[in-house]
Amino acid sequence: MLLLGCVKEVSDYELVVSLPNGLLGFVPVTQISDAYSKMLSKQVAQGELLEDLNSLSDMYSPGTLVRCIVTSVEKSADGRRSVKLSIDPKKVNKGLNASALASGMLLSGFVSSVEDHGYLIDIGVSGTHAFLPRQKAQNYIKAVKRGPDLKIGQNLNCVIVDVKNEGRVVRLSIDRSEVAASLATERQNWTLSNLLPGLVVKARVQKVAPLGIKVSFLSAFTGIVDFMHVDPEKSMNYSPDQVMKACILSIHPTSKVVRLTLRQAFLHPGGSPNQLSNERMGAVVEESTVKTFYKQFGAVFELDDGTLAFARLKHLSKNRKSFKPGAFKTGCKHKCRIIDYSLMDEMCIVSLKYQIIEARFLQYQDIHTGDVVQGKVFSLKPIGMQVKVTDGIKGLVPSMHLADVVLKQPEKKYNIGDEVKCRVLECNPAGKKLILTLKKSLVQSKLPILSNYEDAKPGLVTHGFVVCAREFGCIVKFYNDVKGLVPKNELSSEPISCPDKVFHEGQVVKVMVLKCEPQQERLLLSFRLSSKPGPEDKRECTPKKKQEVKYQIGEMVDVKVLKKKDNGLEVSILEDKGNVIASIPTMHLSDFVVNCKLLWHCLQEGDVLPRVMCLSDKGERIILSRKSAVISAVQEEQVVRSFSEIQPGMMLTGYVRNVMPFGVFVEFPFGVTGLAPKVSMSDKFVTDTKDHFVVGQTVIAKVMSIDEEKQRVLLNLKVSECSSGDSAAESFALLNQYFKEMKEIRNLLRRRGEPGMARGLCELVPGKELQLVVQDVKEDGSALFSGSCVTGLTVTATRYHLGDKNIVPGEKTKALVLHVDALTFKVYVSLREELLKQ
């Protein structure tokens, strides 16, 4: 089907074209012309930019009229139809042959070559060479102001001046006055097979009907002017046999139905239709008056500024059931919102739907960097997740931004249609580019948004995310692609030798601006947010009452140790300048029971703990947790927020709340609790429940059954029931986390303990070989050792770990470290040959 269209938007890879009756079409960059496609192929083959290859935005601008042919109609993932077009003259002018060409014809052509005296023009007619002399182009070149020359691939409205050698050679003109005055006549011998959109003809009215006018033109042809394309100045005041100018809009390939327009902007080829001012797009019109209602199509309204607008049938009410035709009689008034503008119809498109009138976002221009938006999961792709914000706005959540932690299988967390809350990282309305994040730490952040270098004032504290960790430090990114460097010496108050082992890509961090040079786009940052306050600062810093500040469960904060208590740590939350007091129970310092007491012992007042999670904010004090497994479960949404969400078979991460003779009570984040009866506690036979679990221990529980009446949940804690299947991977992950924490504890001991003993403990790691001297052999077969590397420590080996060796006091021997108990200063070793050989 041939159509006249108007360029609405220009991007790097396609033209968005406005078509008659409010439709849109898309012209891919490969459907411009043969010459342009060859240059694109050459550039791709060479792998470098060609100087004479111009971008689409260099050659086309919104408002340019183009002749198009429909190449396909595709159905998109959301059920909408997408019209693919071509403006290639070989396809648009395929009905023409050399013998049909005549002087005065108006055709579409594309510059295929720039010569000394003019231009070779591709008009898509086989066997015809079309030439445009320079003097016939000067007037046009000056008017469009796109440089001193025409560009290869540029679309032109050409008038045939001369035809020679039976159409094999034609001379063209693009002089604006000649093009504007061109008129298709009977003398040019147009037929239904080669008739083109964009031709201006003299038409005679045959019949005037409510939906439009039937006209005849070029003696033998008939066509239709629908109600949207009559001259708005004359409305439907036309009479039979009246003669006026009309422009052909479309020609159907099979039915041969020709549609025309009487609108003034199209009656002078080379012109442009009227455009809507940017301020009007999205405007809400309190009172619009119904001009005409068409029961099969929609209604035409007159807006408050006197312009006409059209609302499709589906936009007149919430749904078909609530639609009342009586409300759209001529003169009725309605509230509406301008949702689009059809260039080809020179008419606003409006909606009367309440949810559209009240919508916060209607177009990309309405969205600003840092906005928190609601959307629905549209599709999952390798590069990330597409989120539908509104019908016309979609954004991309890159893989790195699907959660606070990297998701290996995002399809397990997100389903198509799920509602999600995102934050806008970047929005480029011109390119319709919207980048979002689902990282809770960023979405829930109350700190200032850093979206340009000018706002980066020294002392500003904000959230960002790590994009690179190397030996020189970390590169942290913010909004609108603003990024800065945290040098190695600003990563922590303590030296960090390998930043890439401490920080990872995508990690949300809180940073402070040290220095910024906006013009050079240089930004220097620090992770060291707090320094020790002086006496005056301490007097001024009075803690806020807990109820003044509300923290959400799952919110990540950085804290500073204020005081060590028997049951845990009293800390201040740095996000609120240390004015909010919270507590971390000892058993919430780690997932590993043995590490909890160690960490409590090693940590001292003034130490800063990053990324601690809010677990409860109901009592008099905020309760925090450092349990990695619990934090991961909350961040990956592997949690239940209320009893109603629990389903049998669910695997949930929680912690032991109480150990009773009949079973174990387990609490989960958000306060839901359940009971694991004695028979479901372990794969082994349970005599005493206290031998198997301790209060605060991290557990993975499987939901066995729920009693909705009594609001009770029965759990299973057996390892055989609670494994995800890949038990080896789970075990290695836990071991990895354990050794990571042990490394942290050793670093703390290096700074805290008695110099000699602490240094000795730090050097002793499982697997290390030691040279020891037997000190004593006990009656139970175990032995005690001494040595220069274990001064002040108790070193012991059980009877089993002495192997077959008969040792005596004073004997020198090799031993392998099995375990180091830093609290009791005990080291357990083995003398077994099979271990020493490894």
Side-chain angles (χ1 to χ4, degrees):
M1 185 174 184
L2 287 167
L3 295 151
L4 184 65
C6 183
V7 176
K8 188 173 184 179
E9 294 169 19
V10 184
S11 68
D12 290 339
Y13 302 108
E14 69 178 7
L15 302 176
V16 181
V17 177
S18 169
L19 300 174
N21 302 110
L23 296 174
L24 279 182
F26 303 88
V27 181
V29 70
T30 53
Q31 291 294 332
I32 303 298
S33 70
D34 272 0
Y36 194 71
S37 295
K38 283 176 184 174
M39 291 185 72
L40 284 173
S41 301
K42 186 179 177 183
Q43 179 170 286
V44 171
Q46 291 183 0
E48 56 184 38
L49 296 174
L50 298 179
E51 284 185 21
D52 50 351
L53 179 64
N54 296 283
S55 67
L56 292 182
S57 57
D58 287 335
M59 300 185 293
Y60 296 91
S61 56
T64 306
L65 290 172
V66 289
R67 291 185 176 91
C68 324
I69 187 167
V70 177
T71 56
S72 66
V73 179
E74 299 169 5
K75 204 169 186 179
S76 59
D78 58 354
R80 294 186 170 197
R81 294 183 184 277
S82 177
V83 182
K84 300 295 181 186
L85 305 168
S86 174
I87 56 174
D88 188 334
K90 280 187 171 57
K91 294 176 180 176
V92 173
N93 297 336
K94 65 180 179 181
L96 287 168
N97 54 46
S99 59
L101 297 178
S103 178
M105 277 186 169
L106 181 70
L107 304 176
S108 288
F110 288 79
V111 179
S112 61
S113 175
V114 180
E115 307 296 330
D116 290 341
H117 302 292
Y119 309 88
L120 292 180
I121 306 296
D122 178 8
I123 59 170
V125 178
S126 181
T128 297
H129 294 279
F131 183 72
L132 171 64
R134 279 194 180 272
Q135 67 268 25
K136 289 289 186 180
Q138 290 309 307
N139 170 288
Y140 175 84
I141 291 170
K142 286 177 184 176
V144 296
K145 296 177 182 176
R146 285 185 177 271
D149 235 334
L150 297 178
K151 299 172 177 68
I152 292 175
Q154 193 167 339
N155 174 270
L156 301 169
N157 270 314
C158 311
V159 175
I160 296 177
V161 179
D162 287 324
V163 179
K164 296 179 180 177
N165 298 338
E166 297 179 339
R168 287 192 288 275
V169 178
V170 295
R171 192 161 61 88
L172 307 172
S173 172
I174 58 169
D175 185 276
R176 290 168 68 82
S177 57
E178 289 181 45
V179 169
S182 66
L183 196 68
T185 62
E186 292 88 341
R187 197 177 298 170
Q188 293 165 6
N189 293 321
W190 292 101
T191 66
L192 269 176
S193 60
N194 64 23
L195 201 62
L196 293 170
L199 293 178
V200 176
V201 297
K202 280 192 175 177
R204 185 183 296 273
V205 177
Q206 285 189 338
K207 184 181 178 182
V208 180
L211 290 175
I213 303 168
K214 187 178 180 182
V215 298
S216 61
F217 61 96
L218 295 177
S219 300
F221 304 128
T222 57
I224 297 166
V225 179
D226 66 43
F227 65 90
M228 291 180 80
H229 280 276
V230 295
D231 187 345
E233 298 293 322
K234 297 179 181 177
S235 187
M236 293 297 280
N237 299 322
Y238 295 93
S239 54
D241 290 328
Q242 184 179 340
V243 176
M244 65 267 177
K245 276 187 176 182
C247 177
I248 297 172
L249 285 180
S250 64
I251 303 105
H252 197 280
T254 50
S255 65
K256 301 297 181 186
V257 172
V258 180
R259 294 187 177 271
L260 303 96
T261 179
L262 302 179
R263 288 181 168 271
Q264 290 298 315
F266 301 96
L267 303 184
H268 302 284
S272 293
N274 295 314
Q275 299 194 41
L276 183 73
S277 66
N278 290 332
E279 294 77 32
R280 288 289 280 172
M281 185 63 73
V284 175
V285 181
E286 293 296 332
E287 280 195 351
S288 59
T289 309
V290 177
K291 292 283 285 181
T292 322
F293 172 65
Y294 303 94
K295 63 180 181 180
Q296 291 178 311
F297 304 105
V300 175
F301 294 85
E302 185 178 326
L303 303 182
D304 49 9
D305 60 356
T307 58
L308 296 181
F310 179 69
R312 295 185 181 92
L313 212 54
K314 67 177 182 179
H315 278 284
L316 291 178
S317 61
K318 187 177 180 181
N319 51 49
R320 287 186 179 181
K321 288 183 180 178
S322 61
F323 177 62
K324 297 175 183 176
F328 297 96
K329 292 178 180 177
T330 303
C332 289
K333 296 188 182 297
H334 292 273
K335 186 178 182 178
C336 66
R337 188 174 188 180
I338 299 171
I339 59 171
D340 201 358
Y341 182 74
S342 173
L343 285 161
M344 283 305 294
D345 305 310
E346 294 186 308
M347 199 178 277
C348 293
I349 307 297
V350 297
S351 176
L352 278 65
K353 286 187 174 184
Y354 174 79
Q355 62 266 40
I356 290 179
I357 292 172
E358 297 298 319
R360 184 180 167 201
F361 305 117
L362 194 65
Q363 53 184 346
Y364 286 88
Q365 285 84 346
D366 299 332
I367 298 178
H368 302 100
T369 302
D371 281 346
V372 175
V373 301
Q374 292 281 145
K376 286 186 178 180
V377 176
F378 184 71
S379 65
L380 283 161
K381 298 179 179 180
I383 59 167
M385 187 169 81
Q386 209 174 11
V387 172
K388 184 177 178 181
V389 180
T390 67
D391 278 345
I393 301 174
K394 290 191 188 80
L396 177 73
V397 181
S399 299
M400 185 173 75
H401 282 277
L402 291 172
D404 275 324
V405 293
V406 177
L407 298 183
K408 291 180 180 176
Q409 294 176 304
E411 63 277 3
K412 286 189 175 181
K413 181 174 181 180
Y414 299 107
N415 297 307
I416 306 299
D418 283 356
E419 289 208 1
V420 289
K421 184 192 276 188
C422 320
R423 193 160 221 157
V424 179
L425 285 176
E426 190 179 338
C427 184
N428 176 8
K432 291 192 174 179
K433 180 184 175 185
L434 181 63
I435 306 297
L436 306 166
T437 181
L438 279 165
K439 289 182 181 289
K440 277 193 175 179
S441 306
L442 291 178
V443 175
Q444 296 176 355
S445 174
K446 299 177 183 70
L447 296 177
I449 298 295
L450 185 57
S451 58
N452 60 70
Y453 289 95
E454 285 73 20
D455 291 343
K457 307 296 181 190
L460 175 77
V461 176
T462 186
H463 278 124
F465 53 95
V466 176
V467 290
C468 174
R470 295 287 185 272
E471 64 280 353
F472 55 78
C474 286
I475 293 174
V476 176
K477 204 170 183 182
F478 304 95
Y479 298 81
N480 275 348
D481 208 30
V482 172
K483 46 186 173 280
L485 172 68
V486 182
K488 199 171 180 178
N489 62 323
E490 292 293 340
L491 292 175
S492 172
S493 53
E494 302 298 329
I496 293 178
S497 56
C498 299
D500 56 322
K501 291 183 180 177
V502 179
F503 303 98
H504 59 85
E505 187 182 354
Q507 183 178 341
V508 177
V509 289
K510 193 188 289 183
V511 297
M512 183 170 73
V513 176
L514 296 178
K515 184 183 177 184
C516 183
E517 298 174 18
Q519 291 183 337
Q520 287 77 32
E521 294 190 348
R522 287 182 191 160
L523 185 57
L524 193 65
L525 309 163
S526 175
F527 288 159
R528 298 163 64 182
L529 305 180
S530 61
S531 56
K532 288 192 176 181
E536 292 176 12
D537 298 331
K538 285 183 180 176
R539 279 199 300 272
E540 290 174 11
C541 182
T542 54
K544 293 179 186 176
K545 288 182 180 177
K546 182 256 161 192
Q547 51 264 37
E548 288 180 23
V549 182
K550 193 75 179 168
Y551 283 88
Q552 293 184 348
I553 295 172
E555 189 169 346
M556 304 301 292
V557 294
D558 297 344
V559 299
K560 186 179 186 180
V561 179
L562 293 180
K563 194 186 294 182
K564 291 172 76 171
K565 295 188 173 182
D566 292 341
N567 61 346
L569 303 175
E570 185 178 278
V571 297
S572 62
I573 296 174
L574 295 176
E575 192 156 328
D576 280 291
K577 299 180 181 177
N579 295 341
V580 175
I581 307 301
S583 63
I584 307 176
T586 302
M587 294 309 287
H588 274 280
L589 286 170
S590 170
D591 281 319
F592 306 97
V593 175
V594 67
N595 285 357
C596 291
K597 292 176 182 177
L598 258 177
L599 281 163
W600 183 92
H601 178 77
C602 297
L603 288 165
Q604 290 187 2
E605 291 177 14
D607 283 342
V608 173
L609 297 175
R611 293 184 58 72
V612 183
M613 186 183 79
C614 177
L615 192 66
S616 169
D617 194 10
K618 289 181 181 175
E620 290 184 7
R621 182 160 287 183
I622 299 164
I623 306 297
L624 307 173
S625 177
R626 276 187 93 233
K627 288 181 178 286
S628 298
V630 176
I631 292 170
S632 292
V634 173
Q635 290 182 339
E636 294 181 19
E637 293 288 343
Q638 303 296 317
V639 288
V640 288
R641 295 171 185 269
S642 63
F643 183 86
S644 60
E645 293 182 15
I646 301 176
Q647 297 292 330
M650 278 183 166
M651 296 283 193
L652 299 171
T653 303
Y655 41 91
V656 176
R657 182 174 175 179
N658 207 352
V659 181
M660 305 297 287
F662 54 84
V664 172
F665 284 98
V666 178
E667 185 171 352
F668 304 104
F670 297 95
V672 177
T673 58
L675 171 68
K678 197 173 179 179
V679 292
S680 302
M681 279 176 52
S682 173
D683 289 305
K684 297 176 182 178
F685 181 74
V686 178
T687 304
D688 187 349
T689 53
K690 290 182 179 177
D691 292 340
H692 293 264
F693 292 96
V694 296
V695 173
Q697 183 176 340
T698 304
V699 293
I700 294 173
K702 183 177 182 179
V703 178
M704 300 302 291
S705 63
I706 52 175
D707 185 335
E708 292 188 18
E709 270 188 49
K710 296 178 181 178
Q711 296 273 296
R712 286 180 185 169
V713 184
L714 284 183
L715 306 169
N716 192 327
L717 296 177
K718 290 181 180 179
V719 173
S720 59
E721 293 286 336
C722 298
S723 172
S724 64
D726 193 350
S727 54
E730 286 179 357
S731 300
F732 279 120
L734 285 168
L735 272 173
N736 186 46
Q737 180 61 30
Y738 171 76
F739 286 124
K740 191 177 176 182
E741 285 187 9
M742 286 305 299
K743 188 176 180 181
E744 179 189 359
I745 289 166
R746 282 197 296 274
N747 288 337
L748 285 167
L749 282 170
R750 280 192 180 96
R751 306 196 300 268
R752 307 290 187 231
E754 298 168 14
M757 199 177 295
R759 197 180 305 116
L761 272 174
C762 295
E763 297 302 322
L764 297 175
V765 293
K768 184 169 183 177
E769 193 176 286
L770 304 175
Q771 290 289 341
L772 301 173
V773 177
V774 180
Q775 195 176 354
D776 188 21
V777 180
K778 296 186 175 181
E779 289 180 8
D780 61 2
S782 63
L784 293 174
F785 301 87
S786 62
S788 58
C789 56
V790 290
T791 306
L793 305 175
T794 303
V795 183
T796 184
T798 62
R799 184 176 181 177
Y800 171 80
H801 277 290
L802 291 177
D804 300 327
K805 294 183 179 179
N806 294 314
I807 56 172
V808 293
E811 183 183 338
K812 290 183 178 180
T813 183
K814 287 182 181 178
L816 197 78
V817 177
L818 294 176
H819 176 63
V820 180
D821 188 337
L823 281 175
T824 58
F825 296 105
K826 284 185 179 179
V827 181
Y828 297 88
V829 297
S830 176
L831 275 64
R832 294 185 73 89
E833 285 297 328
E834 61 267 32
L835 292 177
L836 285 166
K837 283 176 182 175
Q838 289 180 4

